[in-house]
Amino acid sequence: MTSLAAASLRAQPFTSARRSSGSPRQQPCLIVCSSSRSDDAAYPRRHALAGLAGVAAAACLAPAVLAAQPPAALAASDFVQTPSGLLVQDITAGTGRTPQPGDRCVVHWAGYTKNYQAKRIDNTSVRDEPFEFVLGGGEVIPAFDEAVAGMAVGGVRRVEVLGEIPELGYPRDRAQRFVSGFKYRYGPQPSELGGKRALDFILDNRTLSDTNRTLLLDIKLLAGLAGLLAELRKSLAAPEDIGEPDVDEKDLGIEDAAKFREEEDLQSGAVLKGTLEPGEEGGDTPRDGDLVWLHYSLMNEHRDVLRSTRAEHGGAGTPQPFVMGRGKARMLRGMELGVQEMARGERAMLDLKPAYAFLHADSGLPLPAGLRKEAPVLVDVTLTHFERGGSEGGARCCGGGDAVLLRTLGAGQGWESPRPPFEVTFHVTARAVSSSGRQGEGEPYFDSTSGGEPLACSLGAGQLPPAVEAALAGMQRQQEAVALCPVDQLCGGGLLPDPPGAAELAARGQGAAPAYAEVWLRLLDFSQVRDMTGDGQVVKRIVRKGRGEFPVDCPLDDSRVSLHYRVRPQGGKDWLSDTRGADGQAAPAELETGMGEVPESLDMCVRLMLTGEVAALTASWRYCYEGRDDAPEGLPPSSSVEFEVELASFDRQPSQHALGGAEKLQRSAQLKEQGNALYKQGRTRLAKAKYGKALKLVERALDLDTDEEVAAASALKASCFLNMARCAEREQEWGEALGWCNKAIDEDDGYAKAYFRRAVIAACLGDEGSAGDDLALCAQLDPSTAPDCERELARMAKRAAAAEAKQRGALKGFFDR
């Protein structure tokens, strides 16, 4: 370890007012956060302010702002569907400021598995723990970002994240969902094990339909503390004038009590800063969202250097880039606070208490070998330069460990970004970072623009280094950006060479801070490649783009579609079947999705296509012709299959949320009849899906006008419950079948058929007593069922007699031995 000499410094208070001021820089000084009790004039004010901040914190995190139980269904007209497919409804309109990209937002949220047993995922208001994230920073699922982006302070918004649009929610691929262990890559993460298990279950269970993966979220954007403080000051009885707290009076709507706790810590000396070499006189200082380049040496309390960017301490000799205040700081929190006080070119020594070093929740640097998390830290840091952030010039963290910094140079088109296994086309220029760290000054080691042809590959196929793949996954079509990437994450893949000197940099050991290289990217285009099942058994690739906006203009719901498709073994040359006919002139095939008229993989694919789109689909035998008798002649059994599909047109179904109550009843009845047809054909799984959709729709029919319509809705629900029981009974899922019968009876306690069916199931479970009671009640409610009930009683008696005889025979054989 290397030792660094101590500096001669003098003290000056470190306050938020000084950090936010634009006054000229002072001479070299020690900035000490102290709250000495010897200051008789200041101490009472400071003590009272601390109490006020504590009360404000409690008020800001007041519980019960969101429902503790799953919200009841809302009227259809209350929901609005955004272009992305998100369903949004404002419960309470906010009155404060609307957050902008890059703002740190504080919210209460509650989440439920909407269509699968209504399991609660989380509710932060119950335990007084708001969730905090940076808007547009890639920290949360896209649906959460989109929902909060349109809110105002104090507002409560309900959103429905449809399971049919997986890109809006949590990744279903566990490798994409988790960063490490049980930590989610994208928030908000459930705080309790039960909520996490409920969420993971609907994401991981391959047997669930997409409808059962729908999430319902309630979000409240919390108010800023300025207004709360104004109210609290009036209610606090103080023996003396405590003065005005040192806070920004703008009601930003994204401040929280943590700011006050941090101010108190700073005043008590949590972060000490001493200037070693002054920077630019009167220069600006960095703020949140800025991209900064730092030379630093991280030391223990004995001034032994543990990690450094400086060549004299074993580093690469180039400064390391960081993004200020975006998500989890990739530098230590105390280090970030100190850098906020520095001008370009300034060198300073920072003394950090453990709570603002490696014990801080937002400290992203890895713990050096030989240092305890509970130990104080010294940092010798130089701010070489920084660049202002903004809507187009801002930077954000991405990639493994948020190590890649992506800075936008030119805005892209649309909202969607590529992800594995999408196919991308792009230009790239890679260059080593110069000794100054300034962009564009390093020597290029790869440039695709020189040859004129862009690069093309599939994400997730190992063709690109991890850092480049992570950067592309955070971009939109036609976007230009520069990615600052750790050299070790720019190695590997066949399309780009490794950075020069990568092996030597890797050999420097743990004491060297990571070296960075600069990658300029322009994402020209990408094609959707969707893993429909999450395990590679059904994969859809776009061959020709269709017309409209995805997914709003796709036949997501069961509907009548017109399409062409042809089939061959995967990797084969000749198509074995083609709906266009031998002359290629036949009319498109007409079919109803959800009815099993075509293989399941084809049905899944069509739902996510636009009119005029052509897609290539590869699928395993299980999702094609297993259990079917319509496989084309010559297709090897159990082989993987390739389809080429063109969606010619479809009958657009009105949005369920736009239907009136009577229309919902009519559509629910249609779905139930389709389920009945499938049940008679022996397609139990498809029938259950139809009944489930019918139930979902009729449960949303809240705006019924007459008593007759209300009665019809109840009868339809009871009938669907009973049909679900018949499906479960056919699959010999007796417990599930019994549960559906109970639901039917709860809905209509005079439903004779439900008692009969429950009796049959109870008899299969060996509960003849309950079965007899239900049969007697069934015959009483509907005398026309009496003969059926008598036959069932006789059948039960016969089974009981046979079982008794069998048991006597077994016992007789036992005693005869």
Side-chain angles (χ1 to χ4, degrees), residues 713-787:
S714 179
L716 185 56
K717 285 178 64 176
S719 178
C720 286
F721 285 140
L722 190 58
N723 288 349
M724 293 288 275
R726 295 294 301 270
C727 291
E729 184 183 356
R730 176 178 282 181
E731 295 172 343
Q732 297 187 351
E733 297 288 346
W734 308 112
E736 181 185 344
L738 194 62
W740 287 117
C741 286
N742 289 334
K743 283 181 175 289
I745 292 171
D746 289 342
E747 183 65 35
D748 181 1
D749 59 5
Y751 195 7
K753 288 184 179 180
Y755 290 104
F756 183 88
R757 186 52 46 196
R758 190 168 71 173
V760 172
I761 295 168
C764 292
L765 292 172
D767 189 358
E768 285 83 3
S770 296
D773 293 341
D774 278 346
L775 289 173
L777 187 54
C778 175
Q780 179 182 349
L781 291 171
D782 185 357
S784 67
T785 64

Side-chain angles (χ1 to χ4, degrees), residues 241-390:
D241 180 13
I242 64 173
E244 293 293 315
D246 182 16
V247 297
D248 186 356
E249 291 299 328
K250 295 179 179 178
D251 186 5
L252 296 178
I254 52 175
E255 297 288 336
D256 75 332
K259 298 287 186 181
F260 287 91
R261 291 194 292 269
E262 188 170 273
E263 289 298 326
E264 290 179 335
D265 291 341
L266 296 179
Q267 291 176 13
S268 63
V271 178
L272 308 178
K273 172 178 176 286
T275 300
L276 302 176
E277 300 173 6
E280 296 179 1
E281 281 291 330
D284 292 332
T285 56
R287 56 176 180 248
D288 284 358
D290 289 350
L291 188 61
V292 300
W293 280 262
L294 306 177
H295 263 308
Y296 68 92
S297 295
L298 197 66
M299 298 169 283
N300 59 20
E301 55 190 324
H302 305 296
R303 297 181 181 266
D304 299 319
V305 177
L306 307 176
R307 182 181 293 116
S308 180
T309 61
R310 297 185 172 97
E312 60 268 26
H313 296 144
T318 58
Q320 183 174 342
F322 296 92
V323 179
M324 297 289 291
R326 290 290 175 89
K328 285 191 173 292
R330 290 183 52 256
M331 64 181 91
L332 302 177
R333 177 56 180 160
M335 186 174 165
E336 185 174 45
L337 291 170
V339 171
Q340 288 177 355
E341 280 291 311
M342 298 175 66
R344 287 180 178 87
E346 182 178 345
R347 183 176 183 179
M349 181 72 73
L350 304 177
D351 187 344
L352 314 180
K353 292 288 182 64
Y356 283 80
F358 289 100
L359 279 181
H360 197 282
D362 285 350
S363 293
L365 286 180
L367 184 69
L371 183 69
R372 295 180 300 109
K373 289 183 68 174
E374 300 80 9
V377 170
L378 298 174
V379 186
D380 176 8
V381 61
T382 301
L383 176 60
T384 62
H385 65 288
F386 66 89
E387 295 182 7
R388 287 292 186 208

